[in-house]
Amino acid sequence: SYEVTQPLSVSVALGQTATVTCGGKNIGRKNVHWYQQKPGQAPVLVIYRDTNRPSGIPERFSGSNSGNTATLTISRAQGGDEADYYCQMWDSSTAWVFGGGTKLTVL
Amino acid sequence: QVQLVESGGGVAQPGGSLRLSCAASGFTFSSYGMHWVRQAPGKGLEWVTFIHYDGSKKYYADSVKGRFTISRDNSKNTIYLQMNSLRPEDTAVYYCAKNQREYSGYDAFDIWGQGTMVTVS
């Protein structure tokens, strides 16, 4: 089965840049999607197919994917960005896979 | 607007059954594959099952295979999750989610419902 690894937590100072990683073997060959989930709410898609932002998602959110690591970058972090972030992809042996999630704290 | 609304959650005894529903609106439901995703209390997201736009193909996570059944009624813009032989570890919020692209299933989940809580105890 395909396994992906996310850090449990990431901290960022207000206004600085946060990076959330998603590691997996040759993940660069897969389409990776990212979701934001705030407490008590449903997940929201923030990045799809590695680098694309759905309408309504601020330009501060960006993504990249290469080699064994996919990355979600949040520029000029705001208090409202505090949330859990999950990567997700489809794998032929495991079907739809979610990373374990990363809790982002804005200091 | 595009919306998914789940219902049917509640409390069930171990070995019991529940049937969840997810009503869709605001898009051409019959053109999109649909998923169920669950989240145990304090835990991460876990994909559960997927059904193709026309119901022709269904896929299940190993953890629910043989116990859960996904189905859809395109005339009612609704998908269902029949959960049998429930276990305490099935306790979770269950979300339905829409596949992003038409006639496909391997894309992002672009629309999510608000979730319905299932407790097995």
Side-chain angles (χ1 to χ4, degrees), chain B:
Chain B
Q1 73 279 21
V2 179
Q3 192 174 9
L4 298 172
V5 179
E6 302 95 336
S7 61
V11 180
Q13 293 186 342
S17 298
L18 278 176
R19 188 196 196 204
L20 307 183
S21 300
C22 169
S25 59
F27 63 99
T28 306
F29 178 75
S30 59
S31 299
Y32 290 88
M34 298 291 295
H35 298 266
W36 287 99
V37 177
R38 69 184 180 182
Q39 186 170 35
K43 303 297 184 181
L45 301 172
E46 179 189 14
W47 171 78
V48 176
T49 180
F50 170 77
I51 186 167
H52 269 267
Y53 66 97
D54 60 359
S56 62
K57 295 182 180 179
K58 305 172 185 181
Y59 302 93
Y60 298 93
D62 287 344
S63 57
V64 306
K65 201 171 294 182
R67 300 187 299 122
F68 289 12
T69 302
I70 190 171
S71 60
R72 66 189 296 157
D73 185 339
N74 285 347
S75 68
K76 296 183 178 180
N77 287 358
T78 301
I79 64 167
Y80 305 95
L81 183 65
Q82 178 65 45
M83 303 186 296
N84 298 332
S85 303
L86 282 163
R87 304 167 178 169
E89 54 264 36
D90 296 319
T91 294
V93 174
Y94 284 74
Y95 296 100
C96 61
K98 169 185 165 291
N99 189 75
Q100 187 176 29
R101 291 193 289 189
E102 292 179 303
Y103 311 118
S104 177
Y106 311 113
D107 307 300
F109 305 172
D110 65 338
I111 303 296
W112 296 65
Q114 85 288 352
T116 187
M117 182 70 203
V118 170
T119 302
V120 183
S121 175

Side-chain angles (χ1 to χ4, degrees), chain A residues 81-105:
Chain A
D81 299 332
E82 284 204 339
D84 294 327
Y85 291 86
Y86 296 89
C87 60
Q88 179 257 320
M89 72 287 304
W90 183 85
D91 174 77
S92 60
S93 65
T94 313
W96 293 266
V97 181
F98 284 97
T102 298
K103 181 178 181 62
L104 177 68
T105 300

